[in-house]
Amino acid sequence: MAGRKTKRKIGKLWGYLALIAVAVLWTVPSVGPGVIAILSAFVVLYCLFQAPTWCCATTRKGEFCRNNANGVLLGCRLRQHKWQKLKMAFKEQAPAKALGRMLSNMGGVAASLSAVAGTVSAGVATVALVVK
């Protein structure tokens, strides 16, 4: 039986398990595209708002914040960092800077690539559902 720490770790990483499930469901012909689209949407939401990453917001010294954060779009426990990362996603030239920061650590790379894969999967499943 799994211990409490193992269950907590799996609870934090459920989105990556869902991404694996999406990849497996694409190979099963009896599963409809609606199920895949919904599960892919959950993967994207997980990566954007819950995946464990570093904050990477700019500190007062001009360095990256190394506090733990949730998701690609949210910052750490500091209120200014939460708003700074969210604003960077929607400012005119800031998305390239934000992408560079997100890809500066392994957690950010995993979350970013999983979000892209989930978005592509959800799009393809939605098109398959509409065309069907």
Side-chain angles (χ1 to χ4, degrees):
M1 182 153 26
R4 188 179 307 177
K5 288 183 179 180
T6 305
K7 288 181 183 177
R8 193 174 299 146
K9 189 94 166 169
I10 290 173
K12 286 183 180 180
L13 302 175
W14 68 268
Y16 296 120
L17 296 174
L19 181 65
I20 293 168
V22 166
V24 170
L25 288 176
W26 274 109
T27 63
V28 179
S30 63
V31 176
V35 174
I36 295 172
I38 291 171
L39 195 56
S40 297
F42 280 126
V43 169
V44 172
L45 289 174
Y46 168 80
C47 292
L48 293 179
F49 298 108
Q50 195 177 1
T53 61
W54 282 346
C55 177
C56 290
T58 306
T59 62
R60 291 180 181 167
K61 295 178 182 177
E63 301 170 347
F64 289 157
C65 175
R66 295 293 184 192
N67 290 334
N68 293 328
N70 291 326
V72 172
L73 292 181
L74 298 179
C76 62
R77 59 184 165 75
L78 302 173
R79 182 180 55 205
Q80 294 87 355
H81 289 189
K82 288 181 184 180
W83 285 111
Q84 181 184 12
K85 282 190 71 177
L86 200 55
K87 285 180 199 174
M88 284 180 89
F90 298 106
K91 280 189 177 178
E92 198 168 304
Q93 294 180 350
K97 192 176 185 181
L99 183 64
R101 289 182 184 183
M102 284 183 269
L103 299 178
S104 67
N105 61 39
M106 195 59 178
V109 170
S112 299
L113 292 179
S114 298
V116 169
T119 303
V120 169
S121 175
V124 170
T126 303
V127 168
L129 188 63
V130 170
V131 171
K132 208 172 193 183

